[in-house]
Every structure is written in C-alpha cells, then in structure tokens.
Amino acid sequence: GNSVTQMEGPVTLSEEAFLTINCTYTATGYPSLFWYVQYPGEGLQLLLKATKADDKGSNKGFEATYRKETTSFHLEKGSVQVSDSAVYFCALRTGTASKLTFGTGTRLQVTL
Amino acid sequence: EAGVAQSPRYKIIEKRQSVAFWCNPISGHATLYWYQQILGQGPKLLIQFQNNGVVDDSQLPKDRFSAERLKGVDSTLKIQPAKLEDSAVYLCASNPGGRPEAFFGQGTRLTVV
C-alpha cells in the first residue's frame, strides 16, 4: 500500500533561517506528490505539487523536488518568516481516482 | 471560485448522541472525500464519492458512521452514536477530475464529552 513518512516535529527556527522538512514515501504505482499546509484553526491548503520525477514544485518561496531514486519529496525554504508557522503535511496520490495518503504532519514554529 | 463549504465549524456533543456534518464541494467537482483528522495525526480517509456513488469506504466504521451524497453535489456525514474517540476534525475535500490535487474545506471540529 501507500505510505508517507515525515520528520517529526516540532521544528523551531528563527526568522530568516533555512528550512528543510524531510518526506519519504512508499507507493504502488507512480504517485503525484504534494505538500499541504494547515494554519491554526484552518483546513488544509495546497502549498505545492509535483506529478513526475525530477519535477520541482514551488510556491511562496517553498520548493520541493520529486526524487524517484530516493523516493523523497523534501520541503525547503531559504528564509522562513513568522507567518510560515503552521503544520505541514506531505501527501501522495496514485491514479486520478484514488485517495490522498498523508504523513503525520510536521509543526513549524518560527520565532523573531 | 468559491471553495469547499462545511458546517458547522464546531460541535460539542455527549457520547452516545448523534451528529451530522454537511459539505458543499466546489461546483462541478465530481469527486468528494471525507477525512478524519485526529489531533496530532494526518488526515485519514473515511469515504470517497464519485458523483453520488461510493468509490472507497473501507475505513468508514459502518456500525456508527454513515454518509450520503444525494444528486452528486452536497454530502452529509453522520455519526450515531458518538464515542469519545470520535473527537477529531472532519475535513471535506473535492477534486474536479483531471487534476491530481484535492481542495479542502475548513473542517468541522467535533468534541465528544
């Protein structure tokens, strides 16, 4: 079956620090990969996606590259802001009719 | 475009009571999902609809949970009777078909006391 493993949080960084949140996956078939973000009290928002190997998804300064050889989709940002404090979920989907499978989430706290 | 709408936002009930949640997906989205998100965990699929047919309900506790999607648009998820372990955020999501990502509503936070 499909599964997603994320690094455990919480991750605490100072503003302008570099962020990496690791994500690895196991999938039957060829998955599409996603990062979703959940701000306090809110639902999940799509942050970025990649649908094939070596694709780089990017949005709001965040990036992640689909690495098929290492089955990874690590999230990075060069300079985090306090407003980036949230929970980040890595997810995958195989096929256009299947469900999203999520990791357990990584809480990011950015301080001044 | 309008997003996925869910109501209510919050609900507190006593154990053994019943509760219902409502979801209105993005217009034209054929696929609708209900996810359960327990505190500190990632969302877990409860049920997936394609139009008004069920595609996957393998993780739905059918002895107490039920869901329907009449006319392939709005959906309701019901719990009867509720247990303490049902305390969670219930997320509705929809997908238009032809795109891999799903779009989520704000969720309903259920507390069972």
Side-chain angles (χ1 to χ4, degrees):
Chain A
N2 296 341
S3 67
V4 176
T5 302
Q6 286 182 239
M7 66 185 285
E8 291 191 12
V11 174
T12 302
L13 295 173
S14 298
E15 200 170 46
E16 299 184 359
F18 184 84
L19 168 71
T20 299
I21 300 178
N22 291 338
C23 171
T24 57
Y25 67 88
T26 302
T28 54
Y30 196 21
S32 294
L33 302 173
F34 309 88
W35 278 100
Y36 280 84
V37 59
Q38 188 173 37
Y39 298 102
E42 300 293 324
L44 277 73
Q45 300 176 23
L46 179 67
L47 181 59
L48 52 85
K49 67 180 180 184
T51 57
K52 60 182 187 293
D54 300 325
D55 267 2
K56 178 184 285 188
S58 62
N59 186 25
K60 299 181 181 179
F62 291 89
E63 294 182 339
T65 300
Y66 189 143
R67 301 288 187 200
K68 189 178 179 186
E69 64 276 13
T70 54
T71 62
S72 65
F73 192 55
H74 304 321
L75 182 68
E76 296 182 336
K77 187 175 185 182
S79 177
V80 294
Q81 305 299 311
V82 172
S83 57
D84 294 327
S85 297
V87 181
Y88 292 80
F89 292 92
C90 186
L92 68 82
R93 188 183 191 199
T94 51
T96 57
S98 71
K99 65 183 181 183
L100 281 166
T101 298
F102 287 88
T104 54
T106 302
R107 180 175 299 279
L108 171 65
Q109 175 102 27
V110 181
T111 59
L112 290 171
Chain B
E1 61 182 358
V4 177
Q6 289 188 246
S7 67
R9 287 294 310 276
Y10 306 94
K11 190 74 176 179
I12 301 174
I13 62 172
E14 295 182 350
K15 59 184 179 183
R16 292 187 289 274
Q17 286 187 323
S18 63
V19 65
F21 313 128
W22 173 81
C23 173
N24 185 15
I26 295 172
S27 178
H29 284 199
T31 305
L32 184 147
Y33 310 86
W34 283 102
Y35 282 83
Q36 180 192 57
Q37 185 181 14
I38 293 173
L39 186 65
Q41 299 181 20
K44 181 187 79 172
L45 181 74
L46 291 174
I47 190 167
Q48 176 185 344
F49 292 94
Q50 182 73 18
N51 295 308
N52 60 351
V54 175
V55 173
D56 183 352
D57 65 355
S58 58
Q59 299 297 307
L60 187 74
K62 298 180 186 65
D63 58 332
R64 298 184 300 105
F65 285 65
S66 64
E68 61 181 8
R69 189 182 185 196
L70 299 177
K71 301 180 181 178
V73 183
D74 294 5
S75 178
T76 55
L77 176 69
K78 296 179 182 178
I79 308 175
Q80 182 179 10
K83 293 185 175 181
L84 295 177
E85 59 260 36
D86 298 332
S87 295
V89 176
Y90 291 84
L91 295 164
C92 180
S94 66
N95 172 274
R99 293 171 65 177
E101 67 267 33
F103 299 87
F104 284 80
Q106 290 189 301
T108 295
R109 181 176 297 276
L110 173 67
T111 303
V112 182
V113 298

